[in-house]
Structures are given as structure tokens and as C-alpha cells.
Amino acid sequence: MLNYDLVVVGGGPAGMAAALKAKEEGVEKIVILERAETLGGILEQCIHTGFGLHYFGEELSGPEYAGRFIEQVEKTDIDVFTDTMVLNISNSNVVTAVNNNEGLMQFQAIAVVLAMGCRERPRGALSIAGSRPAGIMTAGTAQKYVNIDGYMPGKKVVILGSGDIGLIMARRMTLEGAEVKVVCELMPYSGGLTRNIVQCLDDFGIPLRLSCTVVKTHGKERLEGVTIAQVDEKLQPIPGTEEYIECDTLLLSVGLIPENELSKDVGVELDRVTNGPVVDEYRETLQPGIFACGNVLQVHDLVDYVTEESQIAGKGAADYIFGKKKGGKFINTKGINGVRYIVPQRVNIEGEEKLKLYFRVGQVYKGAKVVVECDGQILSSKKKVKLAPGEMENVVITPEMLKNMNENSEIIVRIEE
Amino acid sequence: MKKSLICVSCPLGCPIEVEIENGEVVSVTGNTCKRGDAYARAEITNPVRSLTTSVKVENGLHPVVPVKSSGPVPKDKMFDCMKEINSVTVKAPVKIGDVVIENILGLGVDIVATNCDSGK
């Protein structure tokens, strides 16, 4: 059994930021366990720029953003195991992992940070008719093929889903010589950032079809084409609108799912909307000493916010390790009227520092107000020019606001049109 | 001639109409701030984009290493740049910031590596 103060599961931006923050707070023995061959996580294959505008004040590519943290980790005495798969976390915080060199390893930790990230929703989760030919893959898989492995998975491409990864891959495949025929989006709006629609689709004349989906794939060994169709308000295909498009590749960018298998095994309670753990403002789960941050907690659109969140978790873990974590009285937060979820789900009303509640809305709003209230009293109300499901928002809660609350209070965030 | 654009200066994404006569911008409408006006004018007269792609590596840990343009390149030169970049091979080890192609196509920007590859 190896003894550590802190075991961090995952060496992407979340895991590295949490480990570094804990180190800065004085935690001595820290280890990062990473499944891939290098630190950096998904940033390693996100070679486009746009990372770091908030955190570093410059526009970096994914590997550059990750590189800055890898460099910092290397300067510390934080232990790193790459090519290492964590198999289990016990409820006494024993982390079991395996790799080729050391075989099976067990780490006894005082605190654990979950930073496993998320994975893409696969084809199996969609009900598309057709057999299983080669050429159908998630946008992230194609991104790895092109940007890490250096080969093109196809020549004529249809993309289903207009999230940012789908849009970025439309541009990437086009630059490398493929013909991207269309991007289909089930919803009446795109889930991606406007700037990506302009720079990745409009720039290359790639059409974006809203309220449209793929209903059938054609081809047996290799994809030969897809049938797309318009959908109605209930997102059901409208008969008669089917259209055949010849293609050899279908990329899916249809959502991300936090990877919480390890969390579930140890009994961490998950939020039904985020699919990530229920946490308090220190990012501690309901399982004592187990913290969570990054895309395993909630899917982010900006890595800068992942870093910010992970530093909170790193600080929380350090306080826990030093026995400094405050007890206090915890109350719930709740999103209603268009606010789909809130992270953190629990707030300490005896907390002495201001904190941010992060949330996402369920549809596009223009000129609507974000209202925070508790026990029928409005704590803040702010008008927003635009709110969209693709962009994470936050509201600030100050210690003054918490003063008049009691154990039965509930902080509510809602949209008022 | 009228041209429709979507402003990318901020997440709002204002739909902008630009009126052009003899290659000159006569009017910009639909924008809700000054930045929109500036974006629209630049977009009509000299649209530029930053370029990110990858380049082949000899003896690398991976077959390719990612690169970016050190500054924006004219939008209509992107595919010419891609052709140039795809004809080049670098040798491992590669470090972040290494110049892969100096002054590409005489545009005044370099192509630099954005990740390291320590080699096999």
C-alpha cells in the first residue's frame, strides 16, 4: 500500500490545476494518475486556438494551455503515473490502479480529487436506422485521428450535431482537403459558440441545417451515404422531408457525458441533470474527502473555468487534509424557470467568502433577467443581453446574502423574461 | 452591393448588414456597438484568420505535431498556407514555439509548433 495525502484521478487540465493548488496550499504527498500516455487530457488533441483568454489573457491552442500546467507540475515533487488506469476507489479512500510496469497498485489517500473528464455520446445512444459500416465515429475520435495520429478518416463528410467539437472538426476536415457537405442540428439553435459557426462553417460555405437529423445510414462495409430529415417541434422526423446525401464519413457531435463510473462505485451521489457528483462550494461530494472538478462534475465550454473550478477543489482538498475544512450548515441551491441546473448544489450558510453559482439555461433568451432569491426575497437581479444553452453563466453569492438564511432556506436562481 | 455578416466580437453575435460601393464600405447597420462596426469594416476590406493545423514529424512519438500561424493570415490564403505546411516534415525533438516555416508565403507570419515531441 502506497500512502499519499492526495490522489488525483485524471491528469487533464482539471487534475493538474487541483494538484498544483493543493501543492501551493502545502499538501506534501500528491500523486496524479493518468490513463493516457501523457498529461494534458483532451487538450492534447484540441489544436485550435481560443484557450486561455480568461485565465492567461492570451489566445492559446489546447496543447499550449496544457503545456503551461505540465511544466508547473514537472517543477514540483508531485508524482505522476501515466498509462495508468484507476480501477476502483473504496469508501475508505483506497485507490486501486494498474499499469504495465508496476502492475496492480493501491494508494491510501486522505483525500481524493475526481478529475476524469467526460466522454462523447456514442452512436449507440442515438436511434439511427442502418447497419454498422466503417466511417461512423464521434467528432472527438476523428479529431484524434487527424491531430494526433496524422491521418484522415474520410473524404466526404456529414456532421450530426453543431456543438463546438462538431464545428471545429468541420473546419479541420475541410482544411485537410475533405468535403464537408452539411452540419445537421436537431435543435432549432446551434449548441456551439457563434464565433465557431462563422469561422468554421460560414468561412468555408458549409451549410448548417437546424431542426434536422440523420434518420438512416447506408452502406454495409463502408458508409456510402445518409438520409437526413427535418424534425417537428417534438423533435420527430417529418415524413416527406427525407433527403439522401452521399458521404463516406459521419461525425457525431451529440453531447458529452461525465465519466462517473468510479464515482458511482464508491457511492458518490450524482445530480440527475449534470450527470456529475452533487458537491458543496468546496467541490466536496457527499462522500467525505472525495472532491470533484472539471468535466466530470459538469460539462464546461471553456477550459479557463475548468481551471478555476479545479483550484477550488484543490484548496478544498488541502483544507480537508489539514483538518481545516469548515463544518457549518449546508443548504440546497435550485434552478427553476429555464435554469437547468446549478453547481455547486449545496452552499454553507456559515461560509465567509463570496462564491459563484454556475448554471446553464435550457433555451436561448434575449434581454431576460437572471434572478437570485431566497425565502421569497430577491437577492440579486441582473439583465442579460443574451443567454444560450451553449454558454455557462454564473451569479455571485456574498456572505452578506447568506447571513439571514437558516437550515431550511433554499437559494433559487431563475430566468425572468 | 449589400453583404450580411454575423459579428464575432462577443457572444451576442449581432447580424450586420454592410453596404459596399466600388469596394468601399458605405454603411454598417445592425451592430449594437463600436466593435461591430470595426469588425464589419475589417471583414470586408481584409478578412484575416489565425490558422492551426499539424505538420509531419520524422522520428517523433506521434506522426504529427500541431502548429499555428504566429499571427493572422488573409482568409483567402489559408489553403495556400495549408499546401505549404503539408509539404514540410520536421525532425524530432520539437519544442513548443519552434519555428517550422519562417515567413510563410511572404505573408510576414511564421508557422510555429504548439506542442512538444521528444522523439522516439
Side-chain angles (χ1 to χ4, degrees), chain A residues 37 44 47-49 61 63-64 146-150 172 174-176 194-195 198-199 203-204 385-386 391, chain B residues 6-8 11-13 39 49-54 62-64 66 68 75 78-79 82 86 96 114-115:
Chain A
E37 54 198 342
E44 292 294 300
I47 66 167
H48 53 282
T49 54
S61 72
E64 288 174 306
V146 180
N147 295 345
I148 306 265
D149 302 333
R172 186 75 187 107
T174 307
L175 281 174
E176 291 292 356
T194 313
R195 55 178 289 171
V198 174
Q199 296 187 6
D203 270 9
F204 302 100
V385 190
K386 188 184 175 188
E391 282 160 37
Chain B
I6 292 172
C7 181
V8 296
L12 191 55
Y39 169 79
R49 298 284 186 266
S50 62
L51 178 65
T52 56
T53 178
S54 55
H62 298 291
V64 290
K68 69 173 178 187
K75 202 171 117 179
M78 286 219 279
F79 282 100
M82 282 299 295
N86 281 345
I96 292 182
T114 58
N115 206 353

Side-chain angles (χ1 to χ4, degrees), chain A residues 44-305:
Chain A
E44 292 294 300
Q45 67 183 61
C46 301
I47 66 167
H48 53 282
T49 54
F51 303 92
L53 271 171
H54 294 270
Y55 191 74
F56 289 113
E58 3 174 358
E59 203 165 339
L60 303 170
S61 72
E64 288 174 306
Y65 188 95
R68 296 201 176 183
F69 289 89
I70 295 172
E71 211 172 280
Q72 285 184 56
V73 169
E74 282 169 353
K75 279 188 195 148
T76 67
D77 58 357
I78 295 171
D79 289 334
V80 176
F81 286 89
T82 52
D83 273 318
T84 301
M85 183 76 188
V86 173
L87 303 174
N88 176 263
I89 303 166
S90 82
N91 47 23
S92 52
N93 295 352
V94 175
V95 179
T96 306
V98 66
N99 73 19
N100 266 345
N101 300 323
E102 273 87 4
L104 200 69
M105 295 176 280
Q106 287 200 305
F107 301 86
Q108 173 69 61
I110 300 174
V112 175
V113 171
L114 305 173
M116 293 89 79
C118 60
R119 61 166 173 260
E120 295 173 280
R121 181 164 289 134
R123 179 192 174 165
L126 311 171
S127 46
I128 303 173
S131 55
R132 297 287 180 269
I136 304 174
M137 68 199 79
T138 64
T141 301
Q143 190 178 45
K144 180 173 184 290
Y145 288 156
V146 180
N147 295 345
I148 306 265
D149 302 333
Y151 64 87
M152 284 287 285
K155 294 192 177 101
K156 292 177 188 168
V157 186
V158 169
I159 299 178
L160 175 59
S162 64
D164 288 312
I165 315 171
L167 299 176
I168 296 281
M169 280 315 290
R171 173 175 64 185
R172 186 75 187 107
M173 298 289 283
T174 307
L175 281 174
E176 291 292 356
E179 181 196 353
V180 179
K181 298 200 154 179
V182 66
V183 176
C184 300
E185 169 60 55
L186 182 70
M187 305 304 286
Y189 51 83
S190 164
L193 302 170
T194 313
R195 55 178 289 171
N196 281 338
I197 295 172
V198 174
Q199 296 187 6
C200 299
L201 301 187
D202 299 356
D203 270 9
F204 302 100
I206 301 167
L208 170 62
R209 296 268 295 261
L210 299 172
S211 297
C212 176
T213 192
V214 172
V215 290
K216 193 173 180 198
T217 64
H218 304 266
K220 209 171 164 209
E221 297 300 321
R222 176 79 201 193
L223 186 69
E224 288 163 9
V226 295
T227 301
I228 64 171
Q230 292 299 122
V231 298
D232 60 23
E233 297 91 60
K234 288 178 183 149
L235 308 179
Q236 295 306 308
I238 303 169
T241 63
E242 294 90 354
E243 195 181 317
Y244 178 79
I245 298 178
E246 189 207 339
C247 62
D248 59 19
T249 307
L250 172 65
L251 300 186
L252 305 172
S253 174
V254 290
L256 300 166
I257 308 162
E259 263 196 87
N260 274 298
E261 281 66 26
L262 288 171
S263 329
K264 279 189 230 166
D265 281 350
V266 66
V268 165
E269 189 185 315
L270 301 186
D271 181 310
R272 279 190 195 173
V273 182
T274 60
N275 287 316
V278 171
V279 292
D280 63 24
E281 65 204 78
Y282 315 107
R283 304 302 184 268
E284 187 175 12
T285 67
L286 295 178
Q287 200 74 20
I290 299 186
F291 295 75
C293 55
N295 283 348
V296 81
L297 177 59
Q298 58 173 334
V299 175
H300 293 68
D301 32 72
L302 293 177
V303 70
D304 305 66
Y305 291 159

